Amino acid sequence: EIVLMQSPGTLSLSPGERATLSCRASQHISGSYLAWYQQKPGQAPRLLIYGASSRATGTPDRFSGSGSGTDFTLTISRLEPEDFAVYYCQQYNGSSWTFGQGTKVEIK
Amino acid sequence: EVQLLESGGGLVQPGGSLRLSCAASGFTFITYAMSWVRRAPGKGLEWVSTAGGTTYYADSVKGRFTISRDSSRNTLYLQMNSLRAEDTAVYYCAKGGDNLSYFDFWGQGTLVTVSS
């Protein structure tokens, strides 16, 4: 099973600042089968990025994904008030899917 | 508009059974893989099971849970047997993307509580 480690666990930032979230895999992820989700309290997760760097329909362009192999990054260029939430990375290896433990982006 | 509506959650005793349903609309159900993902209280997301051309299960539920789908009713199911306290979670139904690798639409979830 591929394990995903997200860092940091919590990111304390102010609106307007840049957020950089990391996701590191225990093994190579092929085909850039890496996605990012946002989840707010009491809500369902929302797909932001798939294929490591493709924005899902409706994802604002302040969100960008990058990386390959075992190291991936989600960047939020300028935090808006609605961006404070928990973010998860997720991988697929052909027969199973796993999520990272999440990064909480909180208001400083 | 894609809609996924889960039902069937509730309180069940350890060792008991429960069947979750997910009614899907707004897309061609038969074309896409469908999955269950859960979030236990205070924890992160955990993939549970996926049904496409083949069915897949997380090791934590293999042999206890069964995923199925009824294309005539556009409905996904999860039969959960031998439930344990650690199965307590909100269970989400999720639609697969254009490839199997991600989940592009999610339901609002149904809460399953396993407790005596």
Side-chain angles (χ1 to χ4, degrees):
Chain A
E1 174 182 299
I2 296 178
V3 177
L4 298 178
M5 291 298 299
Q6 292 187 241
S7 62
T10 301
L11 201 50
S12 298
L13 295 168
S14 300
E17 290 193 292
R18 181 184 187 90
T20 302
L21 287 67
S22 175
C23 177
R24 177 162 290 179
S26 60
Q27 300 173 40
H28 183 273
I29 297 175
S30 61
S32 292
Y33 288 156
L34 192 287
W36 290 92
Y37 302 84
Q38 175 193 70
Q39 188 173 31
K40 299 178 182 179
Q43 296 186 16
R46 170 195 171 193
L47 175 69
L48 295 175
I49 301 286
Y50 65 94
S53 60
S54 298
R55 275 187 288 272
T57 302
T59 300
D61 59 9
R62 63 180 180 273
F63 290 89
S64 62
S66 62
S68 64
T70 60
D71 288 293
F72 298 86
T73 300
L74 176 70
T75 301
I76 311 172
S77 59
R78 287 177 56 85
L79 282 164
E80 297 288 340
E82 61 267 28
D83 299 336
F84 292 92
V86 178
Y87 293 84
Y88 295 94
C89 59
Q90 170 256 313
Q91 70 80 34
Y92 166 66
N93 70 353
S95 61
S96 69
W97 294 253
T98 53
F99 291 87
Q101 82 279 17
T103 290
K104 181 179 182 180
V105 178
E106 65 176 23
I107 299 176
K108 185 174 181 181
Chain B
E1 178 192 6
V2 172
Q3 292 193 357
L4 301 170
L5 184 61
E6 302 95 336
S7 60
L11 175 64
V12 60
Q13 292 189 336
S17 298
L18 211 55
R19 189 177 83 155
L20 306 183
S21 300
C22 170
S25 62
F27 64 101
T28 306
F29 184 73
I30 197 170
T31 302
Y32 295 93
M34 296 293 296
S35 301
W36 292 96
V37 177
R38 67 186 181 185
R39 185 175 184 185
K43 297 198 172 181
L45 297 172
E46 180 189 15
W47 168 74
V48 173
S49 182
T50 293
T54 306
T55 57
Y56 305 91
Y57 297 93
D59 288 343
S60 59
V61 307
K62 200 171 293 183
R64 301 187 298 123
F65 290 11
T66 302
I67 193 171
S68 62
R69 50 194 299 168
D70 183 342
S71 295
S72 68
R73 296 175 183 267
N74 285 356
T75 300
L76 178 73
Y77 301 100
L78 186 67
Q79 177 67 43
M80 304 186 294
N81 298 332
S82 303
L83 283 161
R84 307 166 179 166
E86 54 265 35
D87 296 318
T88 295
V90 175
Y91 284 73
Y92 297 99
C93 167
K95 172 185 169 292
D98 287 342
N99 62 41
L100 279 178
S101 70
Y102 59 92
F103 312 108
D104 58 359
F105 289 94
W106 298 64
Q108 285 303 304
T110 187
L111 175 62
V112 172
T113 303
V114 184
S115 174
S116 55

